[in-house]
Amino acid sequence: MFTVLAFAVGFVLALMLAIMRLSPLRPYRWFAAAWIEVFRGLPALVTIFTIGYAVPIALGFRVPGVYGPGAMALGIVYSAYMAETIRAGIEAVPRGQREAARSLGMTSARSLVSIVLPQAFRIIIPPLTNEVVALIKDTSLLYVLGTTASTIEITKFAREGVSRTFNITPLLAGALVYLAITIPLTRAVGLLERRNRRAR
Amino acid sequence: MPDDPTRPDIEVVDLRKRFGPLEVLNGVSLTVQPSEVVCVIGPSGSGKSTLLRCVNRLEEPTSGSIRIEGDDILDPECDIDRVRRKIGMVFQAFNLFPHLTVLGNCTIAQRKVLGRPRTLAERTAREMLERVGLADKVDEHPVRLSGGQQQRVAIARALCLHPDMMLFDEVTSALDPELVGEVLASMRQLADEGMTMLVVTHEMGFARRVADRVVFMDEGLIVEEGPPEQVLDAPREARTRRFLQQVGERDEA
C-alpha cells in the first residue's frame, strides 16, 4: 500500500520535474535541479523523519491519512531518482520525432504527450523497474514512523517477532514476503518488455 | 482576407541564420508560387536544409523575413502551429513514429491537431496511403517496412492534413538506390497534381524532369537559379559548373 501510493506520488512529481528540467525557462530548470540534488543527496531516513515528525512539529501540518506521511516522504525521495530516469528517457527519443510532430502542427505539449513520452517510457521500463523494487524495499524504513495495526510494516513485524521469540524465523519470513512481491513484479515487467519489443 | 492570386505561397527575403560563429545562411531570398516545384541543389553545408527548416520554423532564423501565403511567420503574434498545418514536411530520416502503426502515424495529427473523429481520420489516412500505393500496409508498424515504404508513409502522413505546400528535405538520401525510384514517383505524382513543392535534393534527374525552377546554393547564398535546362545544362556560374561536374563524375563512376 505504501508502495503504490509512494510510487504514484513519486511518479507524478518525477514527470513534472523531468519536464521542468528540460524546460527552456531557467527558473524551472533550477528548481528541478535543486530538488533532485537535495532529495537524492539526503538519506531517505532523514526525509522520512522530516516529513513524519519535523514538518508536523514545525508547521503544525501533517500529511493526512494513515499512509499519507510515509507515502509522501518516499514519494519525494523517489521522485528525485525517477525524474532523472524519465529525463534520460525523453532525451533518448531522437530529435526528429519531435520535429516531425511539430511539423504536423502539434503544439510542444501535444508532441510531448503523444509522441515523445510514449517512446520514452518504453525505453525506461528497465531502470524504472529497478526503482520500484528499491522503493518496495525502502518501505521497510517507514518503521521509524511507528505504525498502527493496519499499516504494520513487514520488517517491523518481523523484528518484533524476533525479539519476542528469540528466534530469527520471523525475519526470514519477512524477507520471503519481500521476495514474494519483488520477483513476480520483475517477471511481469520482463514479459511487458518482450511484448513491446515484438511490437516495434 | 481574400486570396490574392498573385500572392506567393512561400516568400523568403534576406534570410540569415547563424549557429554561433558559423554563418549558414547569408541573406537568401526565394519565392515559390502556388503549384510551383522548386528544387534546391548544392554541396553539403551550403545551407539548403537550413533554409528549408526555417520555412516552417523548425530553425529560428537570425534575421530576415518569411511569409507563408502572405502571413509573416516570424511575427511573435503568429500562431506557428496553425501555419505548420498548411506546410507538409518530409525528412531525410523518415521520422515515422515507431510506437504507432502506419494508420496511427497518419491519423494522430488529424485527430489531435484538427480534432477529427477517428472514422474520418482513418478514411482520409487510407485515401492518402492509397495515393502512395501502400493501402495494404495500414496495420504494420513502421520498422516492418522498407525505407522506401517508410518514406512514402511519411509523405502520406503529411498529406493527411491537406497541406497547401510540401517541403522535402533530402528525402531519398537515406535510401538504398533501388528504393529511390518509388519515392520519387510519389513526389512526381504530387507535383503533377499541382502541389506547391520546395525540394532539397541530390537527385539531378528528378530536378531536371519535375522542377519548374532549380536553385543552386553554395556557402549560404543562392548562386544561381532558373529553369532546370539552364541551371543544369548551361550554368552561368563557375561554382555551379564545378558542382555539377563533381556530381556527374560520381554518377558515372
Side-chain angles (χ1 to χ4, degrees):
Chain A
M1 195 59 212
F2 276 123
T3 308
V4 174
L5 278 175
F7 181 74
V9 170
F11 190 76
V12 171
L13 282 174
L15 189 55
M16 287 176 359
L17 287 166
I19 292 167
M20 286 166 81
R21 190 84 212 261
L22 295 169
S23 158
L25 299 175
R26 208 166 283 164
Y28 283 145
R29 282 208 307 271
W30 284 349
F31 175 83
W35 177 288
I36 291 165
E37 288 306 326
V38 167
F39 290 109
R40 205 168 48 173
L42 285 177
L45 260 181
V46 173
T47 307
I48 291 167
F49 267 119
T50 308
I51 303 287
Y53 294 123
V55 170
I57 292 166
L59 306 176
F61 167 78
R62 187 177 175 281
V63 180
V66 181
Y67 298 106
M72 182 57 75
L74 277 182
I76 288 174
V77 172
Y78 275 84
S79 73
Y81 290 101
M82 290 195 285
E84 286 295 87
T85 306
I86 295 172
R87 177 175 68 101
I90 291 174
E91 286 179 339
V93 176
R95 211 169 61 124
Q97 290 292 312
R98 209 184 163 81
E99 290 181 351
R102 297 305 304 272
S103 79
L104 290 167
M106 291 189 202
T107 60
S108 180
R110 172 50 69 192
S111 56
L112 186 68
V113 170
S114 292
I115 304 302
V116 176
L117 286 181
Q119 294 182 56
F121 284 130
R122 281 175 196 209
I123 298 170
I124 63 172
I125 285 174
L128 212 53
T129 311
N130 268 339
E131 273 149 26
V132 173
V133 170
L135 173 61
I136 291 172
K137 295 190 296 182
D138 275 1
T139 55
S140 65
L141 296 174
L142 295 177
Y143 80 89
V144 298
L145 293 184
T147 37
T148 64
S150 68
T151 63
I152 201 144
E153 176 286 320
I154 298 159
T155 308
K156 182 179 163 70
F157 188 75
R159 275 163 37 106
E160 281 172 355
V162 172
S163 45
R164 218 173 28 240
T165 61
F166 300 103
N167 182 327
I168 58 159
T169 316
L171 199 60
L172 282 177
L176 285 177
V177 171
Y178 273 106
L179 288 179
I181 298 170
T182 53
I183 291 175
L185 178 79
T186 45
R187 285 284 147 151
V189 174
L191 272 175
L192 191 70
E193 267 181 69
R194 264 200 299 284
R195 221 195 47 197
N196 260 333
R197 206 166 303 141
R198 229 178 314 129
R200 278 208 253 181
Chain B
M1 199 166 57
D3 262 18
D4 172 2
T6 62
R7 186 188 63 188
D9 272 357
I10 302 172
E11 190 177 19
V12 176
V13 179
D14 195 28
L15 189 69
R16 288 166 195 277
K17 171 68 184 176
R18 192 180 308 188
F19 291 107
L22 186 69
E23 301 238 20
V24 183
L25 297 173
N26 292 320
V28 171
S29 299
L30 178 71
T31 303
V32 183
Q33 299 295 338
S35 292
E36 196 179 18
V37 177
V38 175
C39 283
V40 183
I41 60 171
S44 48
S46 57
K48 43 194 200 312
S49 281
T50 306
L51 167 66
L52 204 67
R53 292 161 57 82
C54 283
V55 169
N56 68 354
R57 252 178 74 187
L58 283 182
E59 282 323 331
E60 288 297 331
T62 308
S63 70
S65 98
I66 301 174
R67 288 178 178 279
I68 298 297
E69 298 180 345
D71 296 330
D72 180 0
I73 65 162
L74 302 182
D75 184 341
E77 299 281 291
C78 165
D79 179 357
I80 189 66
D81 297 317
R82 185 167 284 278
V83 174
R84 283 185 181 137
R85 294 180 208 169
K86 296 193 270 190
I87 311 175
M89 183 157 188
V90 186
F91 300 85
Q92 177 174 355
F94 323 140
N95 296 347
L96 292 181
F97 306 133
H99 62 302
L100 301 174
T101 60
V102 166
L103 196 64
N105 267 275
C106 293
T107 52
I108 188 155
Q110 295 186 70
R111 295 179 60 199
K112 304 294 182 190
V113 176
L114 304 182
R116 282 187 187 156
R118 178 192 283 270
T119 45
L120 175 60
E122 290 189 352
R123 184 152 17 101
T124 310
R126 284 175 200 278
E127 194 184 308
M128 296 306 162
L129 287 165
E130 182 95 41
R131 275 171 80 175
V132 297
L134 289 173
D136 55 331
K137 301 288 184 195
V138 284
D139 295 323
E140 292 282 8
H141 275 267
V143 283
R144 307 271 309 250
L145 304 179
S146 74
Q149 289 170 333
Q150 288 191 48
Q151 195 59 296
R152 285 187 284 151
V153 171
I155 293 173
R157 176 176 72 177
L159 290 177
C160 281
L161 299 181
H162 303 292
D164 296 338
M165 61 201 81
M166 294 275 288
L167 308 176
F168 293 86
D169 188 6
E170 299 194 27
V171 297
T172 57
S173 301
L175 295 177
D176 290 338
E178 76 272 19
L179 301 176
V180 169
E182 59 190 73
V183 174
L184 293 181
S186 288
M187 290 166 66
R188 180 165 198 173
Q189 186 191 335
L190 262 183
D192 291 343
E193 288 164 9
M195 178 64 77
T196 308
M197 292 165 56
L198 185 54
V199 185
V200 169
T201 187
H202 292 293
E203 296 293 331
M204 297 304 148
F206 179 82
R208 186 187 307 275
R209 283 190 296 273
V210 182
D212 298 305
R213 194 147 45 93
V214 173
V215 172
F216 173 70
M217 280 183 73
D218 195 14
E219 294 178 352
L221 286 168
I222 292 181
V223 175
E224 183 166 2
E225 64 179 303
E229 50 279 11
Q230 181 211 309
V231 176
L232 297 178
D233 297 333
R236 276 190 284 243
E237 299 290 331
R239 273 194 281 180
T240 317
R241 273 199 294 277
R242 203 172 334 124
F243 172 73
L244 289 171
Q245 219 167 24
Q246 283 162 352
V247 175
E249 277 166 16
R250 197 201 50 204
D251 276 354
E252 280 158 33

